[in-house]
Amino acid sequence: MAMVSLSSFSLLFVLLAVVNDQIGVTGEYFKLPLLRKTPRLSPTQSLLLDIHRLSHLHRSRHHHHRKQKGIIKSPLVSGAAYGSGQYFVELRLGSPPQSLLLVADTGSDLLWVTCSACRHNCSFLHPSGSTFLARHSSSFSPQHCFDSTCDLVPHPDPNPCNRTRLHSPCRYEYEYSDGSQTSGFFSKETTTLKTSSGREAKLENLSFGCGFRISGPSLSGASFNGSHGVMGLGQGSISFASQLGRRYGNKFSYCLMDYTLSPPPTSYLMIGGNQLAVSKTPKISFTPLLINPRSPTFYYIGIKSVSVNNVKLQIDPSVWSLDEMGNGGTVIDSGTTLTFLPEPAYRQILWEMKRRVKLPSPTEPTPDFDLCLNVSGNAMPQLPRLSFKLSGDSVFAPPPRNYFIETEEGVTCLAIQPISTGTGFSVIGNLMQEGFLFEFNRDKSRLGFSRHGCALP
Ligand SMILES: *[C@@H]1O[C@H](CO)[C@@H](O)[C@H](O)[C@H]1NC(C)=O
Ligand SMILES: *[C@@H]1O[C@H](CO)[C@@H](O)[C@H](O)[C@H]1NC(C)=O
Ligand SMILES: *[C@@H]1O[C@H](CO)[C@@H](O)[C@H](O)[C@H]1NC(C)=O
Ligand SMILES: *[C@@H]1O[C@H](CO)[C@@H](O)[C@H](O)[C@H]1NC(C)=O
Ligand SMILES: *[C@@H]1O[C@H](CO)[C@@H](O)[C@H](O)[C@H]1NC(C)=O
């Protein structure tokens, strides 16, 4: 409910300006490099972390209504043959610009970075630029706690705010569904972005969280290691996508690539402009983007049915529905690795896959996975093909590498997890999204996707 009242503040929100302002008119768009860091954990270790966080998310989401914003569960991170994991976006913040790597998360709204008030000798305190040095930027300014913009973020309780004092910063405390937290000063900065034609554009007054404290498994674990914060791309008014979208076109797109390819492909988060028209993507499919007033951050889509090897499974369509209480439904989330489906649908898929697959099981079961196969010595294992029929009658048919993951040498497991119906919601995670171009178009309330869009400039 808190989020409903927050969105009504969006009119008060300060708009950004660009020094050389042509974006949105010419169809030009912003391009931010998307990268993936090489993990340190073994794939199975990190997978288990991921599962743990998500199950926590589903249990706890109703307890966080007051200040919840979304999720960031991270990343798996393969190490093995599958290049899934956490996707980082590179943002240049401050004057002169400091380069930061942020987790790209469509499941939360706040853009925040780890901040330091260090003034001198900072490379000693913060080796390898591990944090944003606010005092080294001439354009940094904390928002005042009495600014209307400050109402857009959740505050700590109690929230000290002295309206008569010149410097009384806007304190925020942002919590993720697994209980991980970041708190600090909600601030403004200038960011320097590259455009599709290679120009540099400076955007002033970007609102972001200057984080002085972070805690919790998602933000302190090994999977967060090497990142400087989170770029929330959700539908809320403070998200990076919304701040830029209000002025440059309310859409963004990305391609999550298999980074185990050599050489690693370059991919971008693209914001504003007219990316799909410019790239003339062939065979683009669309499905409506839905809003859940109870969880206004998330991008919901509708699943109508699921097929295995083109045979439609007998699943009651009601398991996919988003009810009036805001339960159920399906979100598409770049910050979750695995895909989570309602228990009855999951059981059907599992049963059908087991029936069709002709590969032996490994000698030892793999914890937390119901279907694992011994594919050692089998370069091209025949795996069942999964496809989703979406609202609008488009079909999302990812290749098996998007839902089978190598958990150890020669063992591949179905990378889908069940959620209990009733209170949970389905999640299409980032592994399932790999190799597709996705365009989140909020002006047209639709999600575009194409298997052939990733190789485009
Ligand atoms: C950014 O904010 C400052 C302070 O509120 C204001 O003076 C300036 O005009 C703003 N710039 C733009 C481009 O909106
Ligand atoms: C500055 O850094 C050096 C190492 O680079 C260290 O020896 C010195 O004590 C630091 N000075 C302060 C004031 O922290
Ligand atoms: C607020 O700030 C003013 C000016 O600094 C100070 O006089 C006043 O005592 C402060 N009020 C509170 C409640 O701290
Ligand atoms: C993070 O990475 C550094 C090296 O880059 C390593 O020393 C440290 O132990 C890692 N921390 C965690 C929590 O994995
Ligand atoms: C997979 O099968 C091969 C024989 O084809 C066997 O040597 C190997 O131990 C099996 N691996 C696992 C993990 O079960």
Side-chain angles (χ1 to χ4, degrees), residues 3-25:
M3 288 307 294
V4 177
S5 53
L6 279 184
S7 51
S8 62
F9 281 101
S10 55
L11 290 177
L12 302 173
F13 209 77
V14 186
L15 284 181
L16 299 160
V18 68
V19 170
N20 188 355
D21 191 358
Q22 303 207 333
I23 303 276
V25 179

PDB file of all heavy atoms in Angstrom, residues 3-25:
ATOM      1  N   MET A   3       3.450   1.769  -1.490  1.00  0.00           N
ATOM      2  CA  MET A   3       3.915   2.082  -2.829  1.00  0.00           C
ATOM      3  C   MET A   3       2.863   2.814  -3.638  1.00  0.00           C
ATOM      4  O   MET A   3       3.169   3.603  -4.500  1.00  0.00           O
ATOM      5  CB  MET A   3       4.323   0.793  -3.559  1.00  0.00           C
ATOM      6  CG  MET A   3       5.600   0.214  -3.035  1.00  0.00           C
ATOM      7  SD  MET A   3       6.927   1.414  -3.024  1.00  0.00           S
ATOM      8  CE  MET A   3       7.117   1.674  -4.783  1.00  0.00           C
ATOM      9  N   VAL A   4       1.596   2.551  -3.351  1.00  0.00           N
ATOM     10  CA  VAL A   4       0.542   3.231  -4.094  1.00  0.00           C
ATOM     11  C   VAL A   4       0.595   4.725  -3.814  1.00  0.00           C
ATOM     12  O   VAL A   4       0.558   5.547  -4.725  1.00  0.00           O
ATOM     13  CB  VAL A   4      -0.842   2.656  -3.719  1.00  0.00           C
ATOM     14  CG1 VAL A   4      -1.936   3.408  -4.441  1.00  0.00           C
ATOM     15  CG2 VAL A   4      -0.884   1.180  -4.073  1.00  0.00           C
ATOM     16  N   SER A   5       0.765   5.075  -2.546  1.00  0.00           N
ATOM     17  CA  SER A   5       0.811   6.501  -2.261  1.00  0.00           C
ATOM     18  C   SER A   5       2.101   7.133  -2.769  1.00  0.00           C
ATOM     19  O   SER A   5       2.118   8.275  -3.178  1.00  0.00           O
ATOM     20  CB  SER A   5       0.667   6.737  -0.758  1.00  0.00           C
ATOM     21  OG  SER A   5       1.619   5.978  -0.061  1.00  0.00           O
ATOM     22  N   LEU A   6       3.166   6.336  -2.800  1.00  0.00           N
ATOM     23  CA  LEU A   6       4.421   6.894  -3.298  1.00  0.00           C
ATOM     24  C   LEU A   6       4.312   7.312  -4.756  1.00  0.00           C
ATOM     25  O   LEU A   6       4.803   8.354  -5.145  1.00  0.00           O
ATOM     26  CB  LEU A   6       5.546   5.845  -3.186  1.00  0.00           C
ATOM     27  CG  LEU A   6       6.180   5.688  -1.828  1.00  0.00           C
ATOM     28  CD1 LEU A   6       7.313   4.691  -1.916  1.00  0.00           C
ATOM     29  CD2 LEU A   6       6.706   7.027  -1.329  1.00  0.00           C
ATOM     30  N   SER A   7       3.616   6.482  -5.548  1.00  0.00           N
ATOM     31  CA  SER A   7       3.615   6.786  -6.972  1.00  0.00           C
ATOM     32  C   SER A   7       2.912   8.104  -7.268  1.00  0.00           C
ATOM     33  O   SER A   7       3.189   8.752  -8.267  1.00  0.00           O
ATOM     34  CB  SER A   7       2.988   5.645  -7.762  1.00  0.00           C
ATOM     35  OG  SER A   7       1.744   5.328  -7.194  1.00  0.00           O
ATOM     36  N   SER A   8       2.028   8.552  -6.371  1.00  0.00           N
ATOM     37  CA  SER A   8       1.353   9.805  -6.633  1.00  0.00           C
ATOM     38  C   SER A   8       2.281  11.009  -6.481  1.00  0.00           C
ATOM     39  O   SER A   8       1.955  12.117  -6.862  1.00  0.00           O
ATOM     40  CB  SER A   8       0.152   9.952  -5.696  1.00  0.00           C
ATOM     41  OG  SER A   8       0.606   9.970  -4.363  1.00  0.00           O
ATOM     42  N   PHE A   9       3.455  10.768  -5.933  1.00  0.00           N
ATOM     43  CA  PHE A   9       4.409  11.862  -5.801  1.00  0.00           C
ATOM     44  C   PHE A   9       5.217  12.097  -7.076  1.00  0.00           C
ATOM     45  O   PHE A   9       5.997  13.016  -7.161  1.00  0.00           O
ATOM     46  CB  PHE A   9       5.411  11.570  -4.684  1.00  0.00           C
ATOM     47  CG  PHE A   9       4.856  11.829  -3.322  1.00  0.00           C
ATOM     48  CD1 PHE A   9       4.407  10.782  -2.540  1.00  0.00           C
ATOM     49  CD2 PHE A   9       4.767  13.126  -2.844  1.00  0.00           C
ATOM     50  CE1 PHE A   9       3.891  11.017  -1.284  1.00  0.00           C
ATOM     51  CE2 PHE A   9       4.249  13.364  -1.575  1.00  0.00           C
ATOM     52  CZ  PHE A   9       3.809  12.308  -0.800  1.00  0.00           C
ATOM     53  N   SER A  10       5.021  11.238  -8.035  1.00  0.00           N
ATOM     54  CA  SER A  10       5.928  11.288  -9.173  1.00  0.00           C
ATOM     55  C   SER A  10       5.867  12.622  -9.923  1.00  0.00           C
ATOM     56  O   SER A  10       6.826  13.042 -10.537  1.00  0.00           O
ATOM     57  CB  SER A  10       5.669  10.126 -10.120  1.00  0.00           C
ATOM     58  OG  SER A  10       4.316  10.150 -10.496  1.00  0.00           O
ATOM     59  N   LEU A  11       4.760  13.315  -9.826  1.00  0.00           N
ATOM     60  CA  LEU A  11       4.660  14.604 -10.514  1.00  0.00           C
ATOM     61  C   LEU A  11       5.602  15.642  -9.923  1.00  0.00           C
ATOM     62  O   LEU A  11       6.027  16.568 -10.589  1.00  0.00           O
ATOM     63  CB  LEU A  11       3.226  15.131 -10.452  1.00  0.00           C
ATOM     64  CG  LEU A  11       2.237  14.351 -11.307  1.00  0.00           C
ATOM     65  CD1 LEU A  11       0.836  14.900 -11.109  1.00  0.00           C
ATOM     66  CD2 LEU A  11       2.634  14.427 -12.774  1.00  0.00           C
ATOM     67  N   LEU A  12       5.911  15.466  -8.674  1.00  0.00           N
ATOM     68  CA  LEU A  12       6.792  16.427  -8.016  1.00  0.00           C
ATOM     69  C   LEU A  12       8.255  16.181  -8.361  1.00  0.00           C
ATOM     70  O   LEU A  12       9.122  16.962  -8.035  1.00  0.00           O
ATOM     71  CB  LEU A  12       6.661  16.292  -6.494  1.00  0.00           C
ATOM     72  CG  LEU A  12       5.279  16.487  -5.920  1.00  0.00           C
ATOM     73  CD1 LEU A  12       5.285  16.145  -4.442  1.00  0.00           C
ATOM     74  CD2 LEU A  12       4.848  17.933  -6.128  1.00  0.00           C
ATOM     75  N   PHE A  13       8.458  15.067  -8.998  1.00  0.00           N
ATOM     76  CA  PHE A  13       9.815  14.612  -9.168  1.00  0.00           C
ATOM     77  C   PHE A  13      10.628  15.533 -10.075  1.00  0.00           C
ATOM     78  O   PHE A  13      10.136  16.032 -11.063  1.00  0.00           O
ATOM     79  CB  PHE A  13       9.785  13.208  -9.759  1.00  0.00           C
ATOM     80  CG  PHE A  13      10.957  12.418  -9.348  1.00  0.00           C
ATOM     81  CD1 PHE A  13      11.024  11.878  -8.079  1.00  0.00           C
ATOM     82  CD2 PHE A  13      11.993  12.250 -10.223  1.00  0.00           C
ATOM     83  CE1 PHE A  13      12.099  11.159  -7.698  1.00  0.00           C
ATOM     84  CE2 PHE A  13      13.091  11.534  -9.843  1.00  0.00           C
ATOM     85  CZ  PHE A  13      13.149  10.972  -8.576  1.00  0.00           C
ATOM     86  N   VAL A  14      11.866  15.761  -9.677  1.00  0.00           N
ATOM     87  CA  VAL A  14      12.729  16.658 -10.443  1.00  0.00           C
ATOM     88  C   VAL A  14      13.193  15.961 -11.713  1.00  0.00           C
ATOM     89  O   VAL A  14      13.686  14.849 -11.675  1.00  0.00           O
ATOM     90  CB  VAL A  14      13.969  17.002  -9.603  1.00  0.00           C
ATOM     91  CG1 VAL A  14      14.816  18.037 -10.318  1.00  0.00           C
ATOM     92  CG2 VAL A  14      13.548  17.507  -8.236  1.00  0.00           C
ATOM     93  N   LEU A  15      13.034  16.620 -12.811  1.00  0.00           N
ATOM     94  CA  LEU A  15      13.475  16.014 -14.065  1.00  0.00           C
ATOM     95  C   LEU A  15      14.955  16.229 -14.306  1.00  0.00           C
ATOM     96  O   LEU A  15      15.568  17.158 -13.799  1.00  0.00           O
ATOM     97  CB  LEU A  15      12.704  16.614 -15.242  1.00  0.00           C
ATOM     98  CG  LEU A  15      11.280  16.122 -15.392  1.00  0.00           C
ATOM     99  CD1 LEU A  15      10.649  16.784 -16.604  1.00  0.00           C
ATOM    100  CD2 LEU A  15      11.245  14.613 -15.538  1.00  0.00           C
ATOM    101  N   LEU A  16      15.496  15.366 -15.092  1.00  0.00           N
ATOM    102  CA  LEU A  16      16.906  15.478 -15.447  1.00  0.00           C
ATOM    103  C   LEU A  16      17.048  16.397 -16.651  1.00  0.00           C
ATOM    104  O   LEU A  16      16.125  16.615 -17.394  1.00  0.00           O
ATOM    105  CB  LEU A  16      17.434  14.115 -15.856  1.00  0.00           C
ATOM    106  CG  LEU A  16      17.381  13.040 -14.798  1.00  0.00           C
ATOM    107  CD1 LEU A  16      17.471  11.701 -15.464  1.00  0.00           C
ATOM    108  CD2 LEU A  16      18.519  13.254 -13.841  1.00  0.00           C
ATOM    109  N   ALA A  17      18.216  16.873 -16.848  1.00  0.00           N
ATOM    110  CA  ALA A  17      18.473  17.634 -18.066  1.00  0.00           C
ATOM    111  C   ALA A  17      19.743  17.119 -18.687  1.00  0.00           C
ATOM    112  O   ALA A  17      20.621  16.623 -18.014  1.00  0.00           O
ATOM    113  CB  ALA A  17      18.629  19.111 -17.742  1.00  0.00           C
ATOM    114  N   VAL A  18      19.826  17.250 -19.954  1.00  0.00           N
ATOM    115  CA  VAL A  18      21.034  16.809 -20.624  1.00  0.00           C
ATOM    116  C   VAL A  18      21.642  18.033 -21.276  1.00  0.00           C
ATOM    117  O   VAL A  18      20.953  18.916 -21.747  1.00  0.00           O
ATOM    118  CB  VAL A  18      20.718  15.697 -21.635  1.00  0.00           C
ATOM    119  CG1 VAL A  18      19.905  16.212 -22.789  1.00  0.00           C
ATOM    120  CG2 VAL A  18      21.978  15.028 -22.123  1.00  0.00           C
ATOM    121  N   VAL A  19      22.952  18.117 -21.229  1.00  0.00           N
ATOM    122  CA  VAL A  19      23.617  19.298 -21.735  1.00  0.00           C
ATOM    123  C   VAL A  19      23.406  19.424 -23.242  1.00  0.00           C
ATOM    124  O   VAL A  19      23.029  20.452 -23.763  1.00  0.00           O
ATOM    125  CB  VAL A  19      25.110  19.246 -21.371  1.00  0.00           C
ATOM    126  CG1 VAL A  19      25.874  20.329 -22.100  1.00  0.00           C
ATOM    127  CG2 VAL A  19      25.271  19.381 -19.866  1.00  0.00           C
ATOM    128  N   ASN A  20      23.609  18.319 -23.915  1.00  0.00           N
ATOM    129  CA  ASN A  20      23.458  18.345 -25.361  1.00  0.00           C
ATOM    130  C   ASN A  20      22.205  17.540 -25.685  1.00  0.00           C
ATOM    131  O   ASN A  20      22.231  16.354 -25.907  1.00  0.00           O
ATOM    132  CB  ASN A  20      24.706  17.706 -25.970  1.00  0.00           C
ATOM    133  CG  ASN A  20      24.726  17.854 -27.471  1.00  0.00           C
ATOM    134  OD1 ASN A  20      23.773  18.351 -28.065  1.00  0.00           O
ATOM    135  ND2 ASN A  20      25.795  17.416 -28.071  1.00  0.00           N
ATOM    136  N   ASP A  21      21.065  18.218 -25.714  1.00  0.00           N
ATOM    137  CA  ASP A  21      19.796  17.519 -25.595  1.00  0.00           C
ATOM    138  C   ASP A  21      19.138  17.196 -26.929  1.00  0.00           C
ATOM    139  O   ASP A  21      18.408  17.981 -27.484  1.00  0.00           O
ATOM    140  CB  ASP A  21      18.860  18.383 -24.745  1.00  0.00           C
ATOM    141  CG  ASP A  21      17.626  17.615 -24.355  1.00  0.00           C
ATOM    142  OD1 ASP A  21      17.490  16.451 -24.773  1.00  0.00           O
ATOM    143  OD2 ASP A  21      16.806  18.187 -23.633  1.00  0.00           O
ATOM    144  N   GLN A  22      19.421  15.992 -27.442  1.00  0.00           N
ATOM    145  CA  GLN A  22      18.762  15.606 -28.680  1.00  0.00           C
ATOM    146  C   GLN A  22      18.135  14.237 -28.563  1.00  0.00           C
ATOM    147  O   GLN A  22      17.375  13.825 -29.432  1.00  0.00           O
ATOM    148  CB  GLN A  22      19.794  15.568 -29.808  1.00  0.00           C
ATOM    149  CG  GLN A  22      20.488  16.904 -29.963  1.00  0.00           C
ATOM    150  CD  GLN A  22      20.980  17.116 -31.367  1.00  0.00           C
ATOM    151  OE1 GLN A  22      21.263  16.155 -32.068  1.00  0.00           O
ATOM    152  NE2 GLN A  22      21.067  18.355 -31.773  1.00  0.00           N
ATOM    153  N   ILE A  23      18.487  13.547 -27.494  1.00  0.00           N
ATOM    154  CA  ILE A  23      17.963  12.209 -27.293  1.00  0.00           C
ATOM    155  C   ILE A  23      16.442  12.259 -27.267  1.00  0.00           C
ATOM    156  O   ILE A  23      15.852  13.174 -26.743  1.00  0.00           O
ATOM    157  CB  ILE A  23      18.471  11.663 -25.945  1.00  0.00           C
ATOM    158  CG1 ILE A  23      19.973  11.680 -25.898  1.00  0.00           C
ATOM    159  CG2 ILE A  23      17.899  10.305 -25.641  1.00  0.00           C
ATOM    160  CD1 ILE A  23      20.635  10.509 -26.524  1.00  0.00           C
ATOM    161  N   GLY A  24      15.820  11.270 -27.825  1.00  0.00           N
ATOM    162  CA  GLY A  24      14.366  11.217 -27.759  1.00  0.00           C
ATOM    163  C   GLY A  24      13.751  11.877 -28.985  1.00  0.00           C
ATOM    164  O   GLY A  24      12.698  11.479 -29.437  1.00  0.00           O
ATOM    165  N   VAL A  25      14.420  12.863 -29.532  1.00  0.00           N
ATOM    166  CA  VAL A  25      13.918  13.514 -30.737  1.00  0.00           C
ATOM    167  C   VAL A  25      14.438  12.756 -31.949  1.00  0.00           C
ATOM    168  O   VAL A  25      13.710  12.427 -32.878  1.00  0.00           O
ATOM    169  CB  VAL A  25      14.383  14.992 -30.794  1.00  0.00           C
ATOM    170  CG1 VAL A  25      13.874  15.667 -32.060  1.00  0.00           C
ATOM    171  CG2 VAL A  25      13.908  15.724 -29.557  1.00  0.00           C
TER     172      VAL A  25
END
